[in-house]
Amino acid sequence: MDDFVDDWLCYNSILGEGAYGEVRLLVHKKSEEKIACKIIDHAKYADAKTSIAREVLIHSMLEHPNIIKYFGKRQEPQKEYIFLEYAAGGELFQMIEPDIGMPSRDAQSFMKHLLCGVDYLHKKGVVHRDIKPENLLVDGTGVLKISDFGLATIFRMKGRERKLDKHCGTKPYMAPEILKRPYLARPADLWSCGIVLVAMLTGELPWSDTTDKNEEFAKWCSDNYLSETPWSKLGNTALSLARQILAEDSTKRLTLEQILKHPWMRLDFGNSESSSEEVDSPSNQSRKRWNSMIESETKHNRETPQVTLSQPATSLSSHSIDQLINNIKTIKKRDSICFSQPTRNDDVILQFTQTPITKENFHKLVKRMTRFYVKCSLEKALECLRTALDSLHYPWSMDAAGTVTISTVDLQKNQLIFKTNLIQMDDKILMDFRLAKGCGLEFKKKFLKLKNALSGIIEKPETSPSSSD
């Protein structure tokens, strides 16, 4: 945790990384208000200015419960700081168990949130073009929020809609018509939503791309897929929904309104928790029979442990946010390190003073299911990590700050980069993994292999004071 400016602290733990920079957490010392700060280094990414300007322009137009809030930005000669709503639950992919998925009731709830946000975007004439679990965040109350508008664009202006011709997005989530161009904006976004639904229910992606050469996609288009995974994991109702969202012909694809009216979206999956007084009641027995029928819709039991989100919703005061963005005062401290030098006296200087993470402030960090405590020294943990990485043939490197970067590929030979930090926290060592580039589901598969290889040094959750594993 670092002194940022005035009464704001900046946590050194990185919330996430993007194409042009990283995201860190800012916390107000007195009110404990939290916001995310996206830091773009224009000196490092010379081509970022145009893309970031478009992203900021579009994001600043948006205000919706299922869209990450944009608060403002600060500009320096070489760096840009974008202030956004903090989502304590982290990325959606963290809640998807590889090859399993998540409970149907949770997938349905997140799908409704996603469609609500997409509906708002489309009514504003905005298309996202990169909907995927890595760009979907969850706040402290379990509300899904769409983030990262780097590939978003305007497809409708003054009632006139245009077709798009830019080939962009993430391959496994891209609609087939994007490769052929020009294409309609709204059906392309809905296709991506359909892939997210499949990922949530099955824990895997159906294909690596939608080209004619892709065998899995070819089977889907020729109706030769029922015995194939992930489709074999879906019940009839869920498969019916996926089939109609992922129609190859965009003109035959369900509209957003039709998706919301589909039987699977209207099913009552119920609540698995009930009080002891309700156990033998007729109404509860009826619900049990209903839940049993619903669960039989799937081939696998997806009752994974519920994610406990780390933060309640925080009411942000506009005064403190505005003060941070517009009225930042220059702070001068001995031995401080500046991001960059100001050109004028009123330019902001952002400074750092190291402060350790403790169990008292650890709960403020974003929720991740890819971290665990180890029961050995920092040196021993690092040695075991190196051995495990070498045994799994994962190429890795370590920088001067002790961050281990693993650069590998997934099953489709796409680049996959994730990073590991060993954090000294009171008398504990936390091994924290985060995705830097690539597919979140593939990252979690690699993480589980690493976790298994490191099982000998992992502390059991019940003996951990604040385990988030």
Side-chain angles (χ1 to χ4, degrees), residues 103-110 269-272 295 303-304 306:
S104 298
R105 63 181 177 275
D106 296 341
Q108 184 196 63
S109 177
F110 287 138
F269 288 101
N271 190 333
S272 61
E295 287 304 318
E303 285 300 318
T304 55
Q306 289 293 93

Side-chain angles (χ1 to χ4, degrees), residues 87-106:
E91 300 102 329
L92 179 64
F93 78 80
Q94 291 279 356
M95 302 180 182
I96 302 174
E97 191 69 20
D99 298 319
I100 296 175
M102 65 173 65
S104 298
R105 63 181 177 275
D106 296 341

Side-chain angles (χ1 to χ4, degrees), residues 32 34 86-89 139-142 309-315 363-364:
E32 294 197 348
K34 302 172 187 68
Y86 168 59
D139 74 4
T141 61
L309 301 173
S310 58
Q311 285 295 320
T314 304
S315 176
H363 70 280
K364 295 178 181 177

Side-chain angles (χ1 to χ4, degrees), residues 446-458:
K446 302 284 188 185
F447 165 76
L448 291 175
K449 287 184 178 180
L450 263 174
K451 184 179 179 181
N452 183 60
L454 294 167
S455 60
I457 65 168
I458 295 176

Side-chain angles (χ1 to χ4, degrees), residues 57 61 124-126 154-162:
L57 177 63
M61 297 164 44
K124 295 282 286 187
V126 175
I154 305 295
F155 72 91
R156 187 179 60 249
M157 182 72 72
K158 296 181 179 179
R160 297 185 62 182
E161 185 169 333
R162 67 183 178 99

Side-chain angles (χ1 to χ4, degrees), residues 10 210 250 415:
C10 178
T210 53
S250 64
Q415 188 178 32

